Amino acid sequence: EAPITKRLYYQLTTYLIPTMASAMEIYHPIRIHASLTDAPLPCQKAVATGWTGGVDCMYTLMNHIRAEEPSRRLTHLLIANVGTLESDHNTELLQHMVQKTKDGIAAEADLKVVGIDSNLQLLQSENYLAVAAFRLPAAVLAMQKLFGVFLNSAGYEFPRFSFNQENSEYYELLPLSCFETDCTVFYSTGGQTSRIKKLEELARFPYARRYLHPCIYQHHDYNCGSCGKCVRTLGALYAIGELESFKDVFRIEEFYQNKAEYLLDILSKGNRQHYGEVLDAMKQYGVEMPPDVLRLYRIRRAAMAAVKKHLE
């Protein structure tokens, strides 16, 4: 029922929709029925990035908070409830995250914070990763009178580009380029380097040492140390020798006390990209896997193989 700009209509119908429909079997050609317009919108030219406190968005902040080019210098942190929050009370969680960010890193770094709430996930429950490259830009475009540039923090390296219908972050370069309007430009940032390299650089960034929060439990003011994101981040920091740098945001003594369990978990999930990166970093930095962990891993694999054979 709302008009769409001729530019956006052209980009969606000429490039995005046909490409996705041909590259992924779950998608099909669709038509957009809307009135077209070239009417200009005013824009305050703010520069924003999506914010959770995790590795990727912290890396974006580090590289753009003092950008030489004023038109790409970060001014706002955007926290949006569009499917990524994992809570039974997402509105309250969003408010908590906004206030925590305002009182913490935004106050120190002189940044403004914008929170966007929605019931989108309730209306259309989907695998968030499958639609992440669409949900957050949609929230940005709803506020394009404010945002002139949006820095979308890449979760994967650009060379890993692929049309993965379960995870749109692998091909986000395509939709982001198609979502641009005369007001708002999108950039995928950080995909030129690996997450391990990001952590190496963040270890020298004071804000990261005090505010890094990859944990999935955003209602905590600390990292739990046990969720998947915490485990692989702790493992990566251990591999590169930077655990001590993040002692203010992780309970690193718990990692050392339970190091065998952490490393066994990482080793068992080594076929997943982010866990595999930790194992590669351990090899690169000459960090040996303890013999007792390797022994337990072999026992676990043998047990799983025996169970599988029995079930067959």
Side-chain angles (χ1 to χ4, degrees):
E1 296 179 1
I4 182 173
T5 66
K6 293 179 181 178
R7 174 180 176 176
L8 186 57
Y9 178 84
Y10 170 75
Q11 291 165 179
L12 296 180
T13 58
T14 306
Y15 302 107
L16 183 63
I17 293 173
T19 303
M20 290 184 62
S22 63
M24 292 172 281
E25 61 181 13
I26 65 170
Y27 295 112
H28 307 280
I30 61 173
R31 294 181 179 180
I32 298 174
H33 299 278
S35 59
L36 305 181
T37 180
D38 275 333
L41 286 176
C43 182
Q44 296 183 27
K45 303 298 183 183
V47 180
T49 191
W51 186 254
T52 62
V55 173
D56 299 320
C57 59
M58 185 68 75
Y59 188 79
T60 296
L61 184 148
M62 180 182 70
N63 283 293
H64 292 86
I65 193 172
R66 299 288 183 262
E68 293 183 5
E69 173 56 50
S71 64
R72 294 177 183 82
R73 189 176 301 151
L74 197 64
T75 62
H76 287 67
L77 301 178
L78 172 64
I79 304 172
N81 174 23
V82 289
T84 186
L85 302 186
E86 300 184 26
S87 165
D88 294 330
H89 306 283
N90 280 346
T91 295
E92 291 81 359
L93 177 58
L94 174 72
Q95 293 170 348
H96 171 77
M97 291 175 65
V98 168
Q99 194 60 52
K100 181 178 74 170
T101 305
K102 283 182 177 180
D103 295 341
I105 193 169
E108 280 199 50
D110 192 25
L111 298 170
K112 296 179 180 179
V113 183
V114 175
I116 295 182
D117 199 5
S118 82
N119 62 351
L120 185 56
Q121 187 67 7
L122 293 175
L123 292 173
Q124 191 165 354
S125 180
E126 298 175 291
N127 166 22
Y128 179 72
L129 286 177
V131 295
F134 307 89
R135 291 273 185 102
L136 188 56
V140 174
L141 288 177
M143 300 189 67
Q144 59 184 301
K145 290 182 181 180
L146 172 62
F147 299 132
V149 172
F150 188 77
L151 306 164
N152 200 74
S153 302
Y156 299 91
E157 297 167 73
F158 295 145
R160 295 183 181 272
F161 184 102
S162 66
F163 287 106
N164 184 331
Q165 62 191 31
E166 298 300 322
N167 191 338
S168 58
E169 293 183 348
Y170 278 104
Y171 61 90
E172 70 178 26
L173 285 168
L174 173 64
L176 288 179
S177 66
C178 293
F179 291 151
E180 289 187 2
T181 67
D182 291 338
C183 283
T184 307
V185 175
F186 291 89
Y187 293 104
S188 181
T189 66
Q192 71 277 10
T193 191
S194 69
R195 184 157 297 181
I196 299 297
K197 293 295 183 182
K198 289 177 183 179
L199 285 169
E200 289 177 350
E201 295 185 45
L202 290 174
R204 300 186 292 275
F205 185 48
Y207 289 146
R209 293 184 177 198
R210 294 196 296 275
Y211 295 108
L212 185 69
H213 192 93
C215 184
I216 66 172
Y217 299 112
Q218 291 289 345
H219 57 282
H220 292 167
D221 291 331
Y222 55 87
N223 292 292
C224 74
S226 57
C227 72
K229 289 188 175 182
C230 281
V231 168
R232 67 197 193 204
T233 303
L234 283 165
L237 293 172
Y238 168 72
I240 65 177
E242 292 290 357
L243 266 178
E244 291 291 334
S245 299
F246 294 89
K247 62 178 186 255
D248 292 335
V249 293
F250 281 108
R251 299 187 180 103
I252 60 174
E253 65 280 359
E254 291 185 5
F255 175 86
Y256 286 119
Q257 290 170 2
N258 302 283
K259 186 171 70 172
E261 287 81 0
Y262 275 99
L263 295 180
L264 181 60
D265 188 19
I266 293 169
L267 191 58
S268 300
K269 298 173 181 175
N271 60 332
R272 305 180 191 178
Q273 179 181 327
H274 295 313
Y275 293 92
E277 288 175 349
V278 175
L279 298 177
D280 291 341
M282 290 180 66
K283 293 178 182 178
Q284 179 184 346
Y285 282 81
V287 179
E288 294 185 1
M289 189 67 69
D292 58 331
V293 173
L294 293 173
R295 185 180 69 255
L296 287 171
Y297 175 65
R298 286 192 291 267
I299 292 172
R300 176 180 292 185
R301 287 197 64 182
M304 291 177 65
V307 170
K308 183 179 179 180
K309 184 177 180 180
H310 175 73
L311 292 174
E312 291 174 348

PDB file of all heavy atoms in Angstrom, residues 294-312:
ATOM      1  N   LEU A 294      42.493 -35.238  23.728  1.00  0.00           N
ATOM      2  CA  LEU A 294      42.497 -36.080  22.530  1.00  0.00           C
ATOM      3  C   LEU A 294      42.006 -37.486  22.851  1.00  0.00           C
ATOM      4  O   LEU A 294      41.262 -38.085  22.061  1.00  0.00           O
ATOM      5  CB  LEU A 294      43.904 -36.134  21.938  1.00  0.00           C
ATOM      6  CG  LEU A 294      44.429 -34.817  21.349  1.00  0.00           C
ATOM      7  CD1 LEU A 294      45.891 -34.964  20.955  1.00  0.00           C
ATOM      8  CD2 LEU A 294      43.592 -34.398  20.146  1.00  0.00           C
ATOM      9  N   ARG A 295      42.394 -38.009  24.007  1.00  0.00           N
ATOM     10  CA  ARG A 295      41.963 -39.350  24.396  1.00  0.00           C
ATOM     11  C   ARG A 295      40.448 -39.385  24.608  1.00  0.00           C
ATOM     12  O   ARG A 295      39.754 -40.287  24.119  1.00  0.00           O
ATOM     13  CB  ARG A 295      42.673 -39.786  25.675  1.00  0.00           C
ATOM     14  CG  ARG A 295      42.362 -41.241  26.071  1.00  0.00           C
ATOM     15  CD  ARG A 295      43.074 -41.663  27.330  1.00  0.00           C
ATOM     16  NE  ARG A 295      42.545 -40.988  28.510  1.00  0.00           N
ATOM     17  CZ  ARG A 295      43.164 -39.991  29.135  1.00  0.00           C
ATOM     18  NH1 ARG A 295      44.340 -39.546  28.713  1.00  0.00           N
ATOM     19  NH2 ARG A 295      42.616 -39.435  30.196  1.00  0.00           N
ATOM     20  N   LEU A 296      39.917 -38.397  25.319  1.00  0.00           N
ATOM     21  CA  LEU A 296      38.475 -38.333  25.550  1.00  0.00           C
ATOM     22  C   LEU A 296      37.706 -38.162  24.235  1.00  0.00           C
ATOM     23  O   LEU A 296      36.624 -38.726  24.056  1.00  0.00           O
ATOM     24  CB  LEU A 296      38.141 -37.173  26.501  1.00  0.00           C
ATOM     25  CG  LEU A 296      38.522 -37.372  27.967  1.00  0.00           C
ATOM     26  CD1 LEU A 296      38.339 -36.079  28.741  1.00  0.00           C
ATOM     27  CD2 LEU A 296      37.675 -38.482  28.589  1.00  0.00           C
ATOM     28  N   TYR A 297      38.303 -37.394  23.336  1.00  0.00           N
ATOM     29  CA  TYR A 297      37.659 -37.173  22.035  1.00  0.00           C
ATOM     30  C   TYR A 297      37.568 -38.484  21.259  1.00  0.00           C
ATOM     31  O   TYR A 297      36.524 -38.806  20.659  1.00  0.00           O
ATOM     32  CB  TYR A 297      38.445 -36.134  21.250  1.00  0.00           C
ATOM     33  CG  TYR A 297      37.948 -35.915  19.841  1.00  0.00           C
ATOM     34  CD1 TYR A 297      36.685 -35.378  19.605  1.00  0.00           C
ATOM     35  CD2 TYR A 297      38.749 -36.234  18.745  1.00  0.00           C
ATOM     36  CE1 TYR A 297      36.228 -35.169  18.309  1.00  0.00           C
ATOM     37  CE2 TYR A 297      38.287 -36.031  17.453  1.00  0.00           C
ATOM     38  CZ  TYR A 297      37.033 -35.494  17.239  1.00  0.00           C
ATOM     39  OH  TYR A 297      36.588 -35.292  15.955  1.00  0.00           O
ATOM     40  N   ARG A 298      38.642 -39.269  21.264  1.00  0.00           N
ATOM     41  CA  ARG A 298      38.620 -40.550  20.560  1.00  0.00           C
ATOM     42  C   ARG A 298      37.613 -41.510  21.187  1.00  0.00           C
ATOM     43  O   ARG A 298      36.902 -42.240  20.476  1.00  0.00           O
ATOM     44  CB  ARG A 298      40.034 -41.159  20.558  1.00  0.00           C
ATOM     45  CG  ARG A 298      40.997 -40.459  19.601  1.00  0.00           C
ATOM     46  CD  ARG A 298      42.262 -41.269  19.417  1.00  0.00           C
ATOM     47  NE  ARG A 298      43.069 -41.275  20.633  1.00  0.00           N
ATOM     48  CZ  ARG A 298      44.046 -40.406  20.876  1.00  0.00           C
ATOM     49  NH1 ARG A 298      44.343 -39.470  19.987  1.00  0.00           N
ATOM     50  NH2 ARG A 298      44.748 -40.479  21.986  1.00  0.00           N
ATOM     51  N   ILE A 299      37.543 -41.509  22.505  1.00  0.00           N
ATOM     52  CA  ILE A 299      36.571 -42.367  23.194  1.00  0.00           C
ATOM     53  C   ILE A 299      35.146 -41.959  22.820  1.00  0.00           C
ATOM     54  O   ILE A 299      34.294 -42.810  22.545  1.00  0.00           O
ATOM     55  CB  ILE A 299      36.775 -42.281  24.724  1.00  0.00           C
ATOM     56  CG1 ILE A 299      38.109 -42.914  25.118  1.00  0.00           C
ATOM     57  CG2 ILE A 299      35.612 -42.952  25.457  1.00  0.00           C
ATOM     58  CD1 ILE A 299      38.476 -42.701  26.570  1.00  0.00           C
ATOM     59  N   ARG A 300      34.894 -40.645  22.804  1.00  0.00           N
ATOM     60  CA  ARG A 300      33.562 -40.157  22.467  1.00  0.00           C
ATOM     61  C   ARG A 300      33.181 -40.537  21.035  1.00  0.00           C
ATOM     62  O   ARG A 300      32.067 -40.982  20.777  1.00  0.00           O
ATOM     63  CB  ARG A 300      33.488 -38.640  22.651  1.00  0.00           C
ATOM     64  CG  ARG A 300      32.164 -38.028  22.231  1.00  0.00           C
ATOM     65  CD  ARG A 300      32.120 -36.539  22.434  1.00  0.00           C
ATOM     66  NE  ARG A 300      32.121 -36.185  23.849  1.00  0.00           N
ATOM     67  CZ  ARG A 300      31.981 -34.923  24.283  1.00  0.00           C
ATOM     68  NH1 ARG A 300      31.868 -33.937  23.413  1.00  0.00           N
ATOM     69  NH2 ARG A 300      31.977 -34.663  25.569  1.00  0.00           N
ATOM     70  N   ARG A 301      34.116 -40.392  20.104  1.00  0.00           N
ATOM     71  CA  ARG A 301      33.830 -40.719  18.708  1.00  0.00           C
ATOM     72  C   ARG A 301      33.558 -42.221  18.551  1.00  0.00           C
ATOM     73  O   ARG A 301      32.656 -42.623  17.812  1.00  0.00           O
ATOM     74  CB  ARG A 301      35.011 -40.308  17.820  1.00  0.00           C
ATOM     75  CG  ARG A 301      35.146 -38.817  17.619  1.00  0.00           C
ATOM     76  CD  ARG A 301      36.044 -38.505  16.446  1.00  0.00           C
ATOM     77  NE  ARG A 301      35.485 -38.993  15.195  1.00  0.00           N
ATOM     78  CZ  ARG A 301      36.107 -38.874  14.028  1.00  0.00           C
ATOM     79  NH1 ARG A 301      37.301 -38.305  13.958  1.00  0.00           N
ATOM     80  NH2 ARG A 301      35.547 -39.332  12.932  1.00  0.00           N
ATOM     81  N   ALA A 302      34.332 -43.025  19.260  1.00  0.00           N
ATOM     82  CA  ALA A 302      34.126 -44.472  19.179  1.00  0.00           C
ATOM     83  C   ALA A 302      32.754 -44.851  19.738  1.00  0.00           C
ATOM     84  O   ALA A 302      32.054 -45.711  19.177  1.00  0.00           O
ATOM     85  CB  ALA A 302      35.235 -45.198  19.933  1.00  0.00           C
ATOM     86  N   ALA A 303      32.362 -44.196  20.833  1.00  0.00           N
ATOM     87  CA  ALA A 303      31.063 -44.489  21.437  1.00  0.00           C
ATOM     88  C   ALA A 303      29.925 -44.090  20.507  1.00  0.00           C
ATOM     89  O   ALA A 303      28.945 -44.826  20.339  1.00  0.00           O
ATOM     90  CB  ALA A 303      30.933 -43.760  22.776  1.00  0.00           C
ATOM     91  N   MET A 304      30.060 -42.924  19.874  1.00  0.00           N
ATOM     92  CA  MET A 304      29.030 -42.460  18.952  1.00  0.00           C
ATOM     93  C   MET A 304      28.932 -43.375  17.732  1.00  0.00           C
ATOM     94  O   MET A 304      27.835 -43.668  17.248  1.00  0.00           O
ATOM     95  CB  MET A 304      29.336 -41.021  18.514  1.00  0.00           C
ATOM     96  CG  MET A 304      29.163 -40.000  19.630  1.00  0.00           C
ATOM     97  SD  MET A 304      29.607 -38.326  19.104  1.00  0.00           S
ATOM     98  CE  MET A 304      28.344 -38.027  17.875  1.00  0.00           C
ATOM     99  N   ALA A 305      30.072 -43.840  17.243  1.00  0.00           N
ATOM    100  CA  ALA A 305      30.073 -44.764  16.099  1.00  0.00           C
ATOM    101  C   ALA A 305      29.398 -46.070  16.473  1.00  0.00           C
ATOM    102  O   ALA A 305      28.654 -46.662  15.666  1.00  0.00           O
ATOM    103  CB  ALA A 305      31.497 -44.999  15.634  1.00  0.00           C
ATOM    104  N   ALA A 306      29.635 -46.539  17.697  1.00  0.00           N
ATOM    105  CA  ALA A 306      29.022 -47.794  18.148  1.00  0.00           C
ATOM    106  C   ALA A 306      27.497 -47.646  18.265  1.00  0.00           C
ATOM    107  O   ALA A 306      26.744 -48.547  17.857  1.00  0.00           O
ATOM    108  CB  ALA A 306      29.610 -48.208  19.495  1.00  0.00           C
ATOM    109  N   VAL A 307      27.051 -46.521  18.792  1.00  0.00           N
ATOM    110  CA  VAL A 307      25.620 -46.272  18.907  1.00  0.00           C
ATOM    111  C   VAL A 307      24.976 -46.208  17.520  1.00  0.00           C
ATOM    112  O   VAL A 307      23.906 -46.783  17.285  1.00  0.00           O
ATOM    113  CB  VAL A 307      25.350 -44.962  19.691  1.00  0.00           C
ATOM    114  CG1 VAL A 307      23.889 -44.568  19.605  1.00  0.00           C
ATOM    115  CG2 VAL A 307      25.779 -45.132  21.136  1.00  0.00           C
ATOM    116  N   LYS A 308      25.624 -45.512  16.606  1.00  0.00           N
ATOM    117  CA  LYS A 308      25.093 -45.398  15.245  1.00  0.00           C
ATOM    118  C   LYS A 308      24.980 -46.759  14.573  1.00  0.00           C
ATOM    119  O   LYS A 308      23.975 -47.079  13.934  1.00  0.00           O
ATOM    120  CB  LYS A 308      26.002 -44.474  14.420  1.00  0.00           C
ATOM    121  CG  LYS A 308      25.497 -44.244  13.009  1.00  0.00           C
ATOM    122  CD  LYS A 308      26.424 -43.303  12.256  1.00  0.00           C
ATOM    123  CE  LYS A 308      25.928 -43.075  10.825  1.00  0.00           C
ATOM    124  NZ  LYS A 308      26.842 -42.162  10.083  1.00  0.00           N
ATOM    125  N   LYS A 309      26.008 -47.596  14.764  1.00  0.00           N
ATOM    126  CA  LYS A 309      25.988 -48.932  14.166  1.00  0.00           C
ATOM    127  C   LYS A 309      24.879 -49.764  14.759  1.00  0.00           C
ATOM    128  O   LYS A 309      24.186 -50.523  14.064  1.00  0.00           O
ATOM    129  CB  LYS A 309      27.341 -49.607  14.395  1.00  0.00           C
ATOM    130  CG  LYS A 309      27.461 -50.978  13.726  1.00  0.00           C
ATOM    131  CD  LYS A 309      28.857 -51.563  13.916  1.00  0.00           C
ATOM    132  CE  LYS A 309      28.965 -52.921  13.241  1.00  0.00           C
ATOM    133  NZ  LYS A 309      30.327 -53.500  13.428  1.00  0.00           N
ATOM    134  N   HIS A 310      24.675 -49.634  16.069  1.00  0.00           N
ATOM    135  CA  HIS A 310      23.609 -50.386  16.745  1.00  0.00           C
ATOM    136  C   HIS A 310      22.237 -49.987  16.215  1.00  0.00           C
ATOM    137  O   HIS A 310      21.348 -50.824  15.998  1.00  0.00           O
ATOM    138  CB  HIS A 310      23.687 -50.155  18.246  1.00  0.00           C
ATOM    139  CG  HIS A 310      22.574 -50.790  19.011  1.00  0.00           C
ATOM    140  ND1 HIS A 310      22.498 -52.150  19.216  1.00  0.00           N
ATOM    141  CD2 HIS A 310      21.466 -50.242  19.602  1.00  0.00           C
ATOM    142  CE1 HIS A 310      21.389 -52.427  19.911  1.00  0.00           C
ATOM    143  NE2 HIS A 310      20.759 -51.284  20.157  1.00  0.00           N
ATOM    144  N   LEU A 311      22.039 -48.675  16.013  1.00  0.00           N
ATOM    145  CA  LEU A 311      20.755 -48.179  15.544  1.00  0.00           C
ATOM    146  C   LEU A 311      20.478 -48.613  14.101  1.00  0.00           C
ATOM    147  O   LEU A 311      19.327 -48.779  13.710  1.00  0.00           O
ATOM    148  CB  LEU A 311      20.698 -46.642  15.650  1.00  0.00           C
ATOM    149  CG  LEU A 311      20.694 -46.085  17.078  1.00  0.00           C
ATOM    150  CD1 LEU A 311      20.782 -44.570  17.031  1.00  0.00           C
ATOM    151  CD2 LEU A 311      19.449 -46.530  17.823  1.00  0.00           C
ATOM    152  N   GLU A 312      21.554 -48.739  13.308  1.00  0.00           N
ATOM    153  CA  GLU A 312      21.374 -49.166  11.928  1.00  0.00           C
ATOM    154  C   GLU A 312      20.979 -50.645  11.847  1.00  0.00           C
ATOM    155  O   GLU A 312      20.357 -51.091  10.916  1.00  0.00           O
ATOM    156  CB  GLU A 312      22.678 -48.930  11.145  1.00  0.00           C
ATOM    157  CG  GLU A 312      22.976 -47.450  10.938  1.00  0.00           C
ATOM    158  CD  GLU A 312      24.335 -47.239  10.283  1.00  0.00           C
ATOM    159  OE1 GLU A 312      25.109 -48.212  10.216  1.00  0.00           O
ATOM    160  OE2 GLU A 312      24.622 -46.118   9.850  1.00  0.00           O
TER     161      GLU A 312
END
